[in-house]
């Protein structure tokens, strides 16, 4: 459970590479298309006993990677899901449960986030099935909410507000190392029952982490500004405006920085092998996590993906994709591109109406896009937006098989130019989501009506 999250999405291919049969539970049926056809996908809510019972039946090892931090009632939801899991795992004769939570500071007044992680770990550990509970500090990896906040703090301005909690320390660990330990748990000769720390090689303050991230990104040293009034809530509100992380998620994460996060349990290497070559250094973990950053602009990368399944033939969907623009239009909200093109033209851009040739290849124009890549065998078309904006946008469209159905995949990648680019992404995202979701459905709908 949690197969579409930051850790789960990396663990599934890791398990497949090592020859394991994999089943996952996802909340939204549209997410099923994200997995290879040899993964058994169950659809339902992790708090529903019958759904979880079906998902874990026949499983030897069950991973519980659920974390509902984007909900205000996340502690209640995660507690309930954990209780459902331990009962279902016992009924299904599961051999081993594996859970990744957070560290347990040896200090009073735990944040809601850390308290919830500890509570879920206790629920899992108290169950009748042996539970390997891993306690990890900040996981450094692209897409991790904690790391995205760190990266944004390093990139946002040359100055860093430094309240007292920025001086508290932790042992951040590379996502590659955490996934290694999770994968190794599937090969344990005997079940393990206990709580273990997953710690990185260095104990660093959050301010030191910001400086380290800036260094890896080839930025100048960030200038610390004492900010005694810089509360968790204020920091979260700012983060919600200028980072990919919402304020609701950022606030409990910032509150967790009120504690020094040090080792309180035996190291996980007491029961699992260390990664080949040892633990990843903080610098190399940050470097790996920032690989998607565009080296030309140093811009922060934002992505948005969606998938639509259809009974239309792949060839029909692919023909529809290749006919986009010009007289066929974009199969989205009427006039939205017309208005956007008019605004662009007003500010000296190329506008919308450049048209297109009947057949286009790399370098050809499609309205306000340019073809970057076209592969008819792989059924992939990548377009670059040419309108004026504080960043660079790519639209990647692919068509393939998903069992006996056709899968249309659409990915937007926006590389922001500095703070203005981040603000642009945040400001336009609500309408952006509606426009491109409508477009994806419209493409599939059009393909179903092709002669």
């Amino acid at each position: 459970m949690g197969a579409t999250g930051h850790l789960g999405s990396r663990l599934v291919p890791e398990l497949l590479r090592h020859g394991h049969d994999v089943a996952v539970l996802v909340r939204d049926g549209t997410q099923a298309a994200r997995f290879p056809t040899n993964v058994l996908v169950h659809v339902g809510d992790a708090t529903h006993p019958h759904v979880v019972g079906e998902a874990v039946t026949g499983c030897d090892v069950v991973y519980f990677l659920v974390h509902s931090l984007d909900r205000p009632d996340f502690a209640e939801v995660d507690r309930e899901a954990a209780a459902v899991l331990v009962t279902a795992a016992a009924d299904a004769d599961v051999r081993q449960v594996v859970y990744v939570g957070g560290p347990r500071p040896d200090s009073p007044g735990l944040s809601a986030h850390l308290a919830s992680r500890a509570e879920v770990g206790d629920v899992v550990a108290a169950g009748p099935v042996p539970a390997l509970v891993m306690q990890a500090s900040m996981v450094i990896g692209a897409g991790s909410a904690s790391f995205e906040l760190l990266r944004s703090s390093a990139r946002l301005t040359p100055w860093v507000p430094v309240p007292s909690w920025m001086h508290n320390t932790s042992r951040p660990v590379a996502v590659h190392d955490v996934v290694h330990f999770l994968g190794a748990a599937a090969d344990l000769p005997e079940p393990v029952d206990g709580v273990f720390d997953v710690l990185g090689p260095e104990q660093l303050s959050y301010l030191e982490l910001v400086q380290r991230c800036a260094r890896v990104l080839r930025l100048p040293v960030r200038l610390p500004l004492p900010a005694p009034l810089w509360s968790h809530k204020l920091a979260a509100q700012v983060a919600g405006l200028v980072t990919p992380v919402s304020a609701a998620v950022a606030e409990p994460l910032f509150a967790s920085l009120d504690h020094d996060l040090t080792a309180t349990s035996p190291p996980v290497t007491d029961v699992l092998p260390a990664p080949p070559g040892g633990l990843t250094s903080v610098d190399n973990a940050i470097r790996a996590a920032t690989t998607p950053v565009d080296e030309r602009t140093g811009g922060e990368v934002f992505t948005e993906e969606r998938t639509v399944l259809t009974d239309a033939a792949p060839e029909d969907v692919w023909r529809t994709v290749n006919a986009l623009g010009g007289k066929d239009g974009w199969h989205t909200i009427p006039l939205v591109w017309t208005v956007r093109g008019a605004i662009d033209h007003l500010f000296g851009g190329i506008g919308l109406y450049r048209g297109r040739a009947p057949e286009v290849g790399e370098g050809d124009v499609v309205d306000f896009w340019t073809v970057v890549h076209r592969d008819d065998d792989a059924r992939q078309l990548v377009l670059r937006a040419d309108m004026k904006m504080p960043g660079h946008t790519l639209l990647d469209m692919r068509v393939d098989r998903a069992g006996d159905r056709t899968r249309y995949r659409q990915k937007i990648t926006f590389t922001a130019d500095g703070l203005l680019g981040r603000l642009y992404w945040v400001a336009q995202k609500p309408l952006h989501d509606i426009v491109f979701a409508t477009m994806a459905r419209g493409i599939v709908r059009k393909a179903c009506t092709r002669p």
Side-chain angles (χ1 to χ4, degrees), residues 176-231:
H176 173 82
D177 294 344
V178 179
V179 172
H180 161 81
F181 289 124
L182 287 170
D187 297 318
L188 284 167
E190 297 294 334
V192 170
D193 197 18
V195 179
F196 300 89
D197 284 331
V198 183
L199 302 172
E202 298 178 73
Q203 185 88 22
L204 298 169
S205 72
Y206 197 76
L207 178 58
E208 289 174 317
L209 274 172
V210 170
Q211 300 288 24
R212 193 71 71 85
C213 189
R215 186 179 74 187
V216 172
L217 293 172
R218 301 178 184 175
L219 298 171
V221 171
R222 306 288 89 175
L223 301 176
L225 294 177
L229 300 181
W230 192 251
S231 66

Side-chain angles (χ1 to χ4, degrees), residues 189-437:
E190 297 294 334
V192 170
D193 197 18
V195 179
F196 300 89
D197 284 331
V198 183
L199 302 172
E202 298 178 73
Q203 185 88 22
L204 298 169
S205 72
Y206 197 76
L207 178 58
E208 289 174 317
L209 274 172
V210 170
Q211 300 288 24
R212 193 71 71 85
C213 189
R215 186 179 74 187
V216 172
L217 293 172
R218 301 178 184 175
L219 298 171
V221 171
R222 306 288 89 175
L223 301 176
L225 294 177
L229 300 181
W230 192 251
S231 66
H232 306 133
K233 182 177 288 292
L234 178 57
Q237 292 300 318
V238 173
L241 292 173
V242 298
T243 80
V245 183
S246 69
V249 171
E251 186 172 351
L253 292 176
F254 282 136
S256 298
L257 298 177
D258 279 342
H259 311 276
D260 282 319
L261 305 180
T262 57
T264 57
S265 301
V268 73
T269 48
D270 283 359
V271 293
L272 294 173
L279 292 171
T280 306
S281 70
V282 170
D283 282 6
N284 282 334
I286 294 173
R287 189 169 291 111
T290 54
T291 297
V293 171
D294 190 325
E295 294 294 340
R296 296 169 301 163
T297 66
E300 188 168 359
V301 176
F302 298 84
T303 61
E304 184 273 330
E305 299 182 56
R306 62 185 71 252
T307 300
V308 182
L309 295 176
T310 178
D311 293 325
E315 296 78 12
D316 290 335
V317 180
W318 179 235
R319 281 199 297 271
T320 303
V321 169
N322 275 302
L324 285 171
K327 62 181 180 61
D328 275 22
W330 294 87
H331 309 298
T332 188
I333 302 172
L335 299 180
V336 68
W337 290 133
T338 303
V339 173
R340 179 64 176 88
I343 294 172
D344 188 68
H345 187 74
L346 181 65
F347 285 91
I350 53 91
L352 175 61
Y353 297 107
R354 295 193 294 174
R356 56 161 292 153
E359 288 292 327
V360 294
E362 294 180 8
D364 288 335
V365 165
V366 180
D367 290 343
F368 59 94
W369 303 84
T370 295
V371 179
V372 175
H373 176 70
R374 173 175 172 171
D375 187 333
D376 289 291
D377 293 330
R379 299 193 186 101
Q380 180 186 19
L381 182 67
V382 182
L383 307 178
R384 182 191 68 238
D386 295 331
M387 284 186 174
K388 283 186 174 293
M389 63 185 74
H392 308 274
T393 298
L394 293 177
L395 169 59
D396 186 339
M397 297 171 283
R398 305 185 188 205
V399 181
D400 58 16
R401 283 282 188 185
D404 59 352
R405 306 192 74 193
T406 298
R407 173 170 52 195
Y408 168 69
R409 292 185 290 170
Q410 181 176 288
K411 179 179 180 180
I412 302 291
T413 303
F414 177 71
T415 305
D417 283 348
L419 176 59
L420 186 59
R422 299 186 192 98
L423 294 175
Y424 170 84
W425 174 260
V426 172
Q428 58 83 50
K429 195 171 190 307
L431 179 59
H432 164 282
D433 289 347
I434 296 172
V435 169
F436 282 98

